[in-house]
Short mmCIF file of all heavy atoms in Angstrom, two decimals:
data_model
loop_
_atom_site.label_atom_id
_atom_site.label_comp_id
_atom_site.label_asym_id
_atom_site.label_seq_id
_atom_site.Cartn_x
_atom_site.Cartn_y
_atom_site.Cartn_z
N LYS A 365 -8.30 0.32 -14.64
CA LYS A 365 -9.63 -0.15 -14.22
C LYS A 365 -9.65 -0.65 -12.78
O LYS A 365 -10.68 -0.65 -12.13
CB LYS A 365 -10.13 -1.23 -15.17
CG LYS A 365 -10.40 -0.61 -16.53
CD LYS A 365 -11.32 -1.40 -17.40
CE LYS A 365 -11.48 -0.62 -18.69
NZ LYS A 365 -12.52 -1.02 -19.54
N THR A 366 -8.47 -1.10 -12.31
CA THR A 366 -8.43 -1.42 -10.88
C THR A 366 -7.84 -0.20 -10.17
O THR A 366 -6.91 0.40 -10.66
CB THR A 366 -7.52 -2.63 -10.59
OG1 THR A 366 -6.26 -2.36 -11.19
CG2 THR A 366 -8.10 -3.91 -11.12
N MET A 367 -8.39 0.13 -9.04
CA MET A 367 -7.96 1.35 -8.34
C MET A 367 -6.79 1.00 -7.42
O MET A 367 -7.00 0.37 -6.37
CB MET A 367 -9.11 1.94 -7.52
CG MET A 367 -10.37 2.22 -8.31
SD MET A 367 -10.22 3.63 -9.41
CE MET A 367 -10.79 2.92 -10.97
N ASP A 368 -5.58 1.36 -7.83
CA ASP A 368 -4.41 1.03 -7.02
C ASP A 368 -4.47 1.76 -5.68
O ASP A 368 -4.58 2.99 -5.64
CB ASP A 368 -3.15 1.44 -7.78
CG ASP A 368 -1.91 1.19 -6.95
OD1 ASP A 368 -1.54 0.03 -6.83
OD2 ASP A 368 -1.36 2.17 -6.40
N PRO A 369 -4.38 1.04 -4.55
CA PRO A 369 -4.52 1.71 -3.23
C PRO A 369 -3.46 2.78 -3.01
O PRO A 369 -3.71 3.76 -2.31
CB PRO A 369 -4.35 0.56 -2.22
CG PRO A 369 -4.39 -0.69 -2.99
CD PRO A 369 -4.19 -0.40 -4.45
N GLY A 370 -2.28 2.61 -3.60
CA GLY A 370 -1.22 3.63 -3.45
C GLY A 370 -1.63 4.95 -4.08
O GLY A 370 -1.43 6.02 -3.50
N LEU A 371 -2.24 4.86 -5.27
CA LEU A 371 -2.69 6.09 -5.95
C LEU A 371 -3.78 6.77 -5.12
O LEU A 371 -3.79 7.99 -4.94
CB LEU A 371 -3.26 5.78 -7.33
CG LEU A 371 -2.29 5.20 -8.38
CD1 LEU A 371 -3.04 4.93 -9.68
CD2 LEU A 371 -1.14 6.17 -8.64
N VAL A 372 -4.68 5.95 -4.61
CA VAL A 372 -5.80 6.49 -3.82
C VAL A 372 -5.27 7.21 -2.58
O VAL A 372 -5.65 8.35 -2.27
CB VAL A 372 -6.77 5.35 -3.40
CG1 VAL A 372 -7.88 5.88 -2.51
CG2 VAL A 372 -7.35 4.66 -4.63
N ALA A 373 -4.33 6.56 -1.88
CA ALA A 373 -3.79 7.15 -0.64
C ALA A 373 -3.05 8.45 -0.94
O ALA A 373 -3.17 9.43 -0.19
CB ALA A 373 -2.87 6.15 0.04
N GLU A 374 -2.27 8.45 -2.02
CA GLU A 374 -1.51 9.66 -2.35
C GLU A 374 -2.45 10.81 -2.72
O GLU A 374 -2.25 11.95 -2.29
CB GLU A 374 -0.53 9.36 -3.49
CG GLU A 374 0.30 10.53 -3.98
CD GLU A 374 1.20 11.17 -2.91
OE1 GLU A 374 1.24 10.69 -1.77
OE2 GLU A 374 1.85 12.19 -3.23
N PHE A 375 -3.48 10.50 -3.48
CA PHE A 375 -4.45 11.54 -3.85
C PHE A 375 -5.09 12.13 -2.58
O PHE A 375 -5.16 13.34 -2.40
CB PHE A 375 -5.52 10.96 -4.77
CG PHE A 375 -6.55 11.96 -5.22
CD1 PHE A 375 -6.34 12.72 -6.37
CD2 PHE A 375 -7.72 12.17 -4.50
CE1 PHE A 375 -7.28 13.66 -6.78
CE2 PHE A 375 -8.66 13.11 -4.91
CZ PHE A 375 -8.44 13.85 -6.06
N ASN A 376 -5.52 11.26 -1.70
CA ASN A 376 -6.18 11.73 -0.48
C ASN A 376 -5.22 12.54 0.40
O ASN A 376 -5.62 13.54 1.00
CB ASN A 376 -6.78 10.56 0.30
CG ASN A 376 -8.06 10.06 -0.36
OD1 ASN A 376 -8.77 10.83 -1.01
ND2 ASN A 376 -8.34 8.78 -0.24
N ARG A 377 -3.96 12.12 0.44
CA ARG A 377 -2.97 12.88 1.23
C ARG A 377 -2.84 14.30 0.67
O ARG A 377 -2.86 15.29 1.42
CB ARG A 377 -1.61 12.17 1.17
CG ARG A 377 -0.54 12.82 2.04
CD ARG A 377 0.84 12.22 1.80
NE ARG A 377 1.41 12.60 0.51
CZ ARG A 377 2.01 13.76 0.25
NH1 ARG A 377 2.11 14.66 1.20
NH2 ARG A 377 2.50 14.02 -0.95
N LEU A 378 -2.73 14.40 -0.65
CA LEU A 378 -2.54 15.72 -1.26
C LEU A 378 -3.77 16.62 -1.04
O LEU A 378 -3.64 17.80 -0.73
CB LEU A 378 -2.26 15.58 -2.77
CG LEU A 378 -0.90 14.94 -3.10
CD1 LEU A 378 -0.82 14.55 -4.57
CD2 LEU A 378 0.24 15.89 -2.74
N VAL A 379 -4.95 16.04 -1.17
CA VAL A 379 -6.17 16.84 -0.94
C VAL A 379 -6.22 17.31 0.51
O VAL A 379 -6.52 18.47 0.80
CB VAL A 379 -7.43 16.04 -1.32
CG1 VAL A 379 -8.70 16.77 -0.87
CG2 VAL A 379 -7.48 15.75 -2.81
N ASP A 380 -5.89 16.41 1.43
CA ASP A 380 -5.93 16.76 2.86
C ASP A 380 -4.99 17.92 3.16
O ASP A 380 -5.36 18.85 3.89
CB ASP A 380 -5.53 15.56 3.73
CG ASP A 380 -6.66 14.54 3.81
OD1 ASP A 380 -7.75 14.82 3.28
OD2 ASP A 380 -6.43 13.46 4.39
N VAL A 381 -3.78 17.85 2.62
CA VAL A 381 -2.81 18.91 2.88
C VAL A 381 -3.37 20.24 2.39
O VAL A 381 -3.34 21.26 3.09
CB VAL A 381 -1.47 18.62 2.16
CG1 VAL A 381 -0.57 19.83 2.16
CG2 VAL A 381 -0.76 17.45 2.80
N GLU A 382 -3.93 20.24 1.19
CA GLU A 382 -4.45 21.49 0.62
C GLU A 382 -5.56 22.07 1.51
O GLU A 382 -5.57 23.25 1.81
CB GLU A 382 -4.99 21.26 -0.79
CG GLU A 382 -3.95 20.86 -1.82
CD GLU A 382 -3.11 22.04 -2.33
OE1 GLU A 382 -3.39 23.20 -1.97
OE2 GLU A 382 -2.16 21.78 -3.08
N TYR A 383 -6.48 21.22 1.90
CA TYR A 383 -7.61 21.71 2.72
C TYR A 383 -7.11 22.28 4.04
O TYR A 383 -7.57 23.31 4.51
CB TYR A 383 -8.61 20.58 2.99
CG TYR A 383 -9.76 20.57 2.00
CD1 TYR A 383 -9.71 19.83 0.84
CD2 TYR A 383 -10.90 21.34 2.23
CE1 TYR A 383 -10.76 19.84 -0.08
CE2 TYR A 383 -11.96 21.36 1.33
CZ TYR A 383 -11.88 20.60 0.18
OH TYR A 383 -12.92 20.63 -0.71
N GLU A 384 -6.15 21.58 4.65
CA GLU A 384 -5.68 22.03 5.97
C GLU A 384 -4.92 23.35 5.89
O GLU A 384 -5.04 24.21 6.75
CB GLU A 384 -4.85 20.93 6.64
CG GLU A 384 -5.76 19.84 7.18
CD GLU A 384 -5.07 18.51 7.40
OE1 GLU A 384 -3.85 18.50 7.65
OE2 GLU A 384 -5.75 17.47 7.30
N ARG A 385 -4.14 23.49 4.81
CA ARG A 385 -3.41 24.75 4.64
C ARG A 385 -4.38 25.92 4.46
O ARG A 385 -4.22 26.98 5.05
CB ARG A 385 -2.51 24.68 3.42
CG ARG A 385 -1.48 23.58 3.48
CD ARG A 385 -0.09 24.17 3.57
NE ARG A 385 0.90 23.18 3.27
CZ ARG A 385 1.55 22.46 4.18
NH1 ARG A 385 1.27 22.63 5.46
NH2 ARG A 385 2.47 21.60 3.83
N VAL A 386 -5.37 25.72 3.62
CA VAL A 386 -6.36 26.79 3.39
C VAL A 386 -7.12 27.08 4.69
O VAL A 386 -7.31 28.23 5.08
CB VAL A 386 -7.34 26.42 2.25
CG1 VAL A 386 -8.46 27.44 2.15
CG2 VAL A 386 -6.61 26.30 0.92
N ARG A 387 -7.53 26.02 5.37
CA ARG A 387 -8.27 26.18 6.63
C ARG A 387 -7.50 27.08 7.61
O ARG A 387 -8.05 28.05 8.13
CB ARG A 387 -8.48 24.79 7.26
CG ARG A 387 -9.16 24.81 8.60
CD ARG A 387 -8.91 23.50 9.35
NE ARG A 387 -7.51 23.36 9.73
CZ ARG A 387 -6.95 22.24 10.18
NH1 ARG A 387 -7.66 21.15 10.30
NH2 ARG A 387 -5.65 22.19 10.51
N ASP A 388 -6.22 26.77 7.81
CA ASP A 388 -5.44 27.55 8.78
C ASP A 388 -5.35 29.01 8.36
O ASP A 388 -5.44 29.92 9.19
CB ASP A 388 -4.02 26.98 8.90
CG ASP A 388 -3.99 25.71 9.72
OD1 ASP A 388 -5.08 25.24 10.12
OD2 ASP A 388 -2.89 25.18 9.96
N PHE A 389 -5.16 29.23 7.08
CA PHE A 389 -5.01 30.60 6.59
C PHE A 389 -6.31 31.39 6.80
O PHE A 389 -6.30 32.56 7.21
CB PHE A 389 -4.62 30.56 5.12
CG PHE A 389 -4.08 31.87 4.59
CD1 PHE A 389 -2.96 32.45 5.15
CD2 PHE A 389 -4.69 32.50 3.51
CE1 PHE A 389 -2.45 33.65 4.66
CE2 PHE A 389 -4.19 33.69 3.01
CZ PHE A 389 -3.07 34.28 3.59
N LEU A 390 -7.43 30.74 6.55
CA LEU A 390 -8.72 31.42 6.75
C LEU A 390 -8.95 31.72 8.23
O LEU A 390 -9.37 32.83 8.61
CB LEU A 390 -9.87 30.56 6.22
CG LEU A 390 -9.89 30.25 4.73
CD1 LEU A 390 -11.16 29.48 4.37
CD2 LEU A 390 -9.81 31.51 3.90
N ILE A 391 -8.65 30.74 9.07
CA ILE A 391 -8.87 30.94 10.51
C ILE A 391 -8.08 32.14 11.00
O ILE A 391 -8.55 32.94 11.82
CB ILE A 391 -8.49 29.67 11.30
CG1 ILE A 391 -9.40 28.50 10.94
CG2 ILE A 391 -8.54 29.94 12.81
CD1 ILE A 391 -8.96 27.17 11.54
N LEU A 392 -6.85 32.28 10.47
CA LEU A 392 -5.98 33.39 10.91
C LEU A 392 -6.69 34.73 10.78
O LEU A 392 -6.60 35.58 11.68
CB LEU A 392 -4.71 33.38 10.04
CG LEU A 392 -3.68 34.45 10.35
CD1 LEU A 392 -3.02 34.17 11.69
CD2 LEU A 392 -2.61 34.50 9.25
N HIS A 393 -7.41 34.94 9.68
CA HIS A 393 -8.10 36.23 9.46
C HIS A 393 -9.11 36.52 10.58
O HIS A 393 -9.30 37.65 10.98
CB HIS A 393 -8.87 36.23 8.14
CG HIS A 393 -8.03 36.09 6.91
ND1 HIS A 393 -7.31 34.97 6.60
CD2 HIS A 393 -7.83 36.92 5.87
CE1 HIS A 393 -6.70 35.13 5.46
NE2 HIS A 393 -6.99 36.31 4.99
N TYR A 394 -9.79 35.48 11.02
CA TYR A 394 -10.81 35.67 12.05
C TYR A 394 -10.19 35.80 13.44
O TYR A 394 -10.64 36.58 14.28
CB TYR A 394 -11.77 34.47 12.06
CG TYR A 394 -12.76 34.49 10.92
CD1 TYR A 394 -12.54 33.78 9.76
CD2 TYR A 394 -13.94 35.24 11.02
CE1 TYR A 394 -13.45 33.80 8.72
CE2 TYR A 394 -14.86 35.27 9.99
CZ TYR A 394 -14.60 34.55 8.84
OH TYR A 394 -15.51 34.59 7.81
N HIS A 395 -9.15 34.97 13.65
CA HIS A 395 -8.61 34.85 15.02
C HIS A 395 -7.84 36.10 15.45
O HIS A 395 -7.97 36.56 16.58
CB HIS A 395 -7.71 33.62 15.05
CG HIS A 395 -7.15 33.32 16.40
ND1 HIS A 395 -7.93 33.12 17.51
CD2 HIS A 395 -5.87 33.20 16.82
CE1 HIS A 395 -7.17 32.88 18.54
NE2 HIS A 395 -5.90 32.94 18.15
N LEU A 396 -7.03 36.64 14.54
CA LEU A 396 -6.19 37.79 14.90
C LEU A 396 -7.01 39.06 14.77
O LEU A 396 -6.91 39.76 13.76
CB LEU A 396 -5.02 37.89 13.91
CG LEU A 396 -3.77 37.09 14.14
CD1 LEU A 396 -2.72 37.50 13.13
CD2 LEU A 396 -3.23 37.29 15.56
N ASN A 397 -7.82 39.35 15.76
CA ASN A 397 -8.58 40.60 15.66
C ASN A 397 -8.69 41.23 17.03
O ASN A 397 -8.60 40.54 18.06
CB ASN A 397 -9.98 40.35 15.05
CG ASN A 397 -10.98 39.88 16.08
OD1 ASN A 397 -11.54 40.69 16.83
ND2 ASN A 397 -11.22 38.58 16.16
N THR A 398 -8.85 42.55 17.02
CA THR A 398 -9.06 43.24 18.32
C THR A 398 -10.41 43.96 18.30
O THR A 398 -10.60 44.94 19.02
CB THR A 398 -7.93 44.26 18.58
OG1 THR A 398 -7.81 45.11 17.44
CG2 THR A 398 -6.59 43.58 18.83
N ARG A 399 -11.32 43.50 17.46
CA ARG A 399 -12.64 44.16 17.37
C ARG A 399 -13.42 43.89 18.66
O ARG A 399 -13.44 42.76 19.15
CB ARG A 399 -13.42 43.61 16.17
CG ARG A 399 -12.87 44.08 14.83
CD ARG A 399 -13.73 43.57 13.69
NE ARG A 399 -15.08 44.09 13.76
CZ ARG A 399 -15.75 44.64 12.74
NH1 ARG A 399 -15.16 44.75 11.55
NH2 ARG A 399 -16.97 45.05 12.87
N ASP A 400 -14.07 44.93 19.14
CA ASP A 400 -14.83 44.73 20.38
C ASP A 400 -16.30 45.09 20.17
O ASP A 400 -17.02 45.41 21.09
CB ASP A 400 -14.23 45.58 21.51
CG ASP A 400 -14.18 47.05 21.13
OD1 ASP A 400 -14.69 47.40 20.04
OD2 ASP A 400 -13.63 47.85 21.90
N ASP A 401 -16.74 45.06 18.89
CA ASP A 401 -18.08 45.56 18.59
C ASP A 401 -19.11 44.46 18.40
O ASP A 401 -20.30 44.76 18.28
CB ASP A 401 -18.02 46.41 17.32
CG ASP A 401 -17.48 45.63 16.14
OD1 ASP A 401 -16.45 44.95 16.30
OD2 ASP A 401 -18.11 45.66 15.06
N ALA A 402 -18.70 43.18 18.36
CA ALA A 402 -19.71 42.15 18.07
C ALA A 402 -19.22 40.80 18.58
O ALA A 402 -18.02 40.51 18.55
CB ALA A 402 -19.95 42.09 16.56
N PRO A 403 -20.15 39.94 19.04
CA PRO A 403 -19.76 38.68 19.68
C PRO A 403 -19.01 37.71 18.74
O PRO A 403 -18.20 36.93 19.20
CB PRO A 403 -21.09 38.07 20.15
CG PRO A 403 -22.17 38.94 19.64
CD PRO A 403 -21.60 40.22 19.14
N LEU A 404 -19.29 37.76 17.42
CA LEU A 404 -18.56 36.86 16.50
C LEU A 404 -17.05 37.05 16.66
O LEU A 404 -16.28 36.09 16.72
CB LEU A 404 -18.95 37.12 15.04
CG LEU A 404 -18.03 36.44 14.02
CD1 LEU A 404 -18.34 34.95 13.90
CD2 LEU A 404 -18.10 37.09 12.65
N TRP A 405 -16.65 38.32 16.75
CA TRP A 405 -15.21 38.61 16.76
C TRP A 405 -14.58 38.22 18.09
O TRP A 405 -13.43 37.74 18.12
CB TRP A 405 -14.98 40.08 16.39
CG TRP A 405 -15.50 40.31 15.00
CD1 TRP A 405 -16.69 40.88 14.65
CD2 TRP A 405 -14.91 39.83 13.79
NE1 TRP A 405 -16.87 40.81 13.28
CE2 TRP A 405 -15.79 40.17 12.73
CE3 TRP A 405 -13.73 39.16 13.48
CZ2 TRP A 405 -15.52 39.86 11.40
CZ3 TRP A 405 -13.46 38.86 12.14
CH2 TRP A 405 -14.34 39.21 11.13
N ALA A 406 -15.33 38.35 19.17
CA ALA A 406 -14.80 37.91 20.46
C ALA A 406 -14.66 36.39 20.45
O ALA A 406 -13.65 35.83 20.89
CB ALA A 406 -15.74 38.36 21.58
N TYR A 407 -15.66 35.70 19.91
CA TYR A 407 -15.60 34.24 19.83
C TYR A 407 -14.35 33.80 19.06
O TYR A 407 -13.59 32.92 19.51
CB TYR A 407 -16.87 33.69 19.15
CG TYR A 407 -16.74 32.23 18.80
CD1 TYR A 407 -16.94 31.24 19.77
CD2 TYR A 407 -16.35 31.83 17.52
CE1 TYR A 407 -16.77 29.90 19.46
CE2 TYR A 407 -16.16 30.50 17.20
CZ TYR A 407 -16.38 29.54 18.17
OH TYR A 407 -16.19 28.20 17.88
N CYS A 408 -14.13 34.42 17.91
CA CYS A 408 -13.01 33.99 17.05
C CYS A 408 -11.66 34.30 17.69
O CYS A 408 -10.72 33.53 17.56
CB CYS A 408 -13.10 34.67 15.68
SG CYS A 408 -14.51 34.09 14.72
N ARG A 409 -11.60 35.41 18.38
CA ARG A 409 -10.34 35.80 19.03
C ARG A 409 -9.99 34.80 20.14
O ARG A 409 -8.84 34.44 20.34
CB ARG A 409 -10.50 37.20 19.61
CG ARG A 409 -9.23 37.82 20.13
CD ARG A 409 -9.39 39.31 20.41
NE ARG A 409 -10.50 39.62 21.28
CZ ARG A 409 -11.58 40.33 20.91
NH1 ARG A 409 -11.69 40.80 19.68
NH2 ARG A 409 -12.55 40.57 21.77
N GLU A 410 -11.01 34.33 20.83
CA GLU A 410 -10.77 33.48 22.00
C GLU A 410 -10.74 31.98 21.66
O GLU A 410 -10.29 31.18 22.48
CB GLU A 410 -11.86 33.74 23.05
CG GLU A 410 -11.57 35.05 23.80
CD GLU A 410 -12.82 35.73 24.32
OE1 GLU A 410 -13.84 35.05 24.53
OE2 GLU A 410 -12.78 36.97 24.48
N MET A 411 -11.18 31.59 20.48
CA MET A 411 -11.25 30.15 20.19
C MET A 411 -9.84 29.55 20.10
O MET A 411 -8.88 30.25 19.77
CB MET A 411 -12.00 29.90 18.86
CG MET A 411 -11.24 30.32 17.63
SD MET A 411 -12.30 30.18 16.16
CE MET A 411 -11.28 31.02 14.94
N GLU A 412 -9.76 28.26 20.39
CA GLU A 412 -8.47 27.58 20.24
C GLU A 412 -8.28 27.22 18.77
O GLU A 412 -9.18 26.62 18.16
CB GLU A 412 -8.46 26.32 21.10
CG GLU A 412 -7.09 25.70 21.09
CD GLU A 412 -6.86 24.80 22.30
OE1 GLU A 412 -7.53 25.02 23.33
OE2 GLU A 412 -6.05 23.90 22.17
N VAL A 413 -7.16 27.59 18.21
CA VAL A 413 -6.95 27.33 16.78
C VAL A 413 -6.13 26.06 16.61
O VAL A 413 -5.49 25.60 17.57
CB VAL A 413 -6.28 28.54 16.09
CG1 VAL A 413 -7.12 29.79 16.26
CG2 VAL A 413 -4.86 28.77 16.59
N PRO A 414 -6.11 25.45 15.41
CA PRO A 414 -5.35 24.20 15.22
C PRO A 414 -3.87 24.39 15.58
O PRO A 414 -3.33 25.48 15.39
CB PRO A 414 -5.50 23.92 13.71
CG PRO A 414 -6.70 24.69 13.28
CD PRO A 414 -6.81 25.87 14.19
N GLU A 415 -3.25 23.31 16.03
CA GLU A 415 -1.84 23.39 16.44
C GLU A 415 -0.95 23.87 15.31
O GLU A 415 0.01 24.61 15.53
CB GLU A 415 -1.36 22.00 16.87
CG GLU A 415 -1.42 21.81 18.35
CD GLU A 415 -1.00 20.41 18.76
OE1 GLU A 415 -0.02 19.91 18.21
OE2 GLU A 415 -1.71 19.86 19.62
N SER A 416 -1.26 23.42 14.10
CA SER A 416 -0.43 23.83 12.95
C SER A 416 -0.44 25.35 12.81
O SER A 416 0.59 25.96 12.48
CB SER A 416 -0.97 23.17 11.67
OG SER A 416 -2.38 23.26 11.63
N LEU A 417 -1.55 25.98 13.12
CA LEU A 417 -1.62 27.45 13.02
C LEU A 417 -0.95 28.11 14.23
O LEU A 417 -0.25 29.11 14.08
CB LEU A 417 -3.09 27.89 12.90
CG LEU A 417 -3.32 29.41 12.83
CD1 LEU A 417 -2.55 30.04 11.66
CD2 LEU A 417 -4.81 29.73 12.68
N GLN A 418 -1.14 27.50 15.39
CA GLN A 418 -0.46 28.06 16.58
C GLN A 418 1.05 28.11 16.35
O GLN A 418 1.72 29.09 16.67
CB GLN A 418 -0.73 27.17 17.80
CG GLN A 418 -2.15 27.27 18.31
CD GLN A 418 -2.37 26.29 19.47
OE1 GLN A 418 -1.46 25.93 20.20
NE2 GLN A 418 -3.61 25.84 19.61
N HIS A 419 1.57 27.05 15.73
CA HIS A 419 3.01 26.96 15.45
C HIS A 419 3.44 28.10 14.51
O HIS A 419 4.43 28.80 14.77
CB HIS A 419 3.27 25.59 14.82
CG HIS A 419 4.66 25.39 14.33
ND1 HIS A 419 5.74 25.34 15.18
CD2 HIS A 419 5.16 25.21 13.07
CE1 HIS A 419 6.85 25.14 14.46
NE2 HIS A 419 6.52 25.07 13.19
N LYS A 420 2.67 28.33 13.46
CA LYS A 420 3.03 29.38 12.49
C LYS A 420 2.97 30.75 13.15
O LYS A 420 3.84 31.61 12.92
CB LYS A 420 2.08 29.35 11.29
CG LYS A 420 2.33 28.19 10.36
CD LYS A 420 1.48 28.32 9.11
CE LYS A 420 1.48 27.04 8.32
NZ LYS A 420 0.24 26.28 8.41
N MET A 421 1.94 30.96 13.96
CA MET A 421 1.81 32.26 14.61
C MET A 421 2.97 32.51 15.59
O MET A 421 3.51 33.61 15.66
CB MET A 421 0.47 32.36 15.34
CG MET A 421 -0.70 32.54 14.39
SD MET A 421 -2.30 32.36 15.19
CE MET A 421 -2.15 33.44 16.54
N ALA A 422 3.33 31.45 16.30
CA ALA A 422 4.41 31.61 17.29
C ALA A 422 5.73 31.97 16.59
O ALA A 422 6.47 32.84 17.05
CB ALA A 422 4.56 30.33 18.10
N LEU A 423 6.00 31.30 15.47
CA LEU A 423 7.25 31.58 14.74
C LEU A 423 7.28 33.01 14.23
O LEU A 423 8.30 33.69 14.27
CB LEU A 423 7.40 30.62 13.55
CG LEU A 423 7.83 29.19 13.89
CD1 LEU A 423 7.75 28.32 12.65
CD2 LEU A 423 9.26 29.18 14.44
#
Side-chain angles (χ1 to χ4, degrees):
K365 292 200 179 194
T366 53
M367 305 287 129
D368 177 74
L371 296 179
V372 176
E374 178 60 3
F375 181 89
N376 284 331
R377 184 188 72 80
L378 291 167
V379 171
D380 284 355
V381 168
E382 295 282 355
Y383 265 91
E384 284 159 28
R385 300 247 196 265
V386 172
R387 177 199 67 193
D388 284 4
F389 195 59
L390 297 185
I391 295 172
L392 180 70
H393 297 66
Y394 284 96
H395 183 57
L396 275 187
N397 83 80
T398 52
R399 288 183 63 132
D400 56 5
D401 57 313
L404 168 77
W405 298 101
Y407 168 81
C408 292
R409 189 167 53 245
E410 282 152 25
M411 71 187 170
E412 186 158 335
V413 302
E415 263 178 42
S416 44
L417 178 57
Q418 288 176 28
H419 173 66
K420 286 188 193 106
M421 286 170 51
L423 284 172

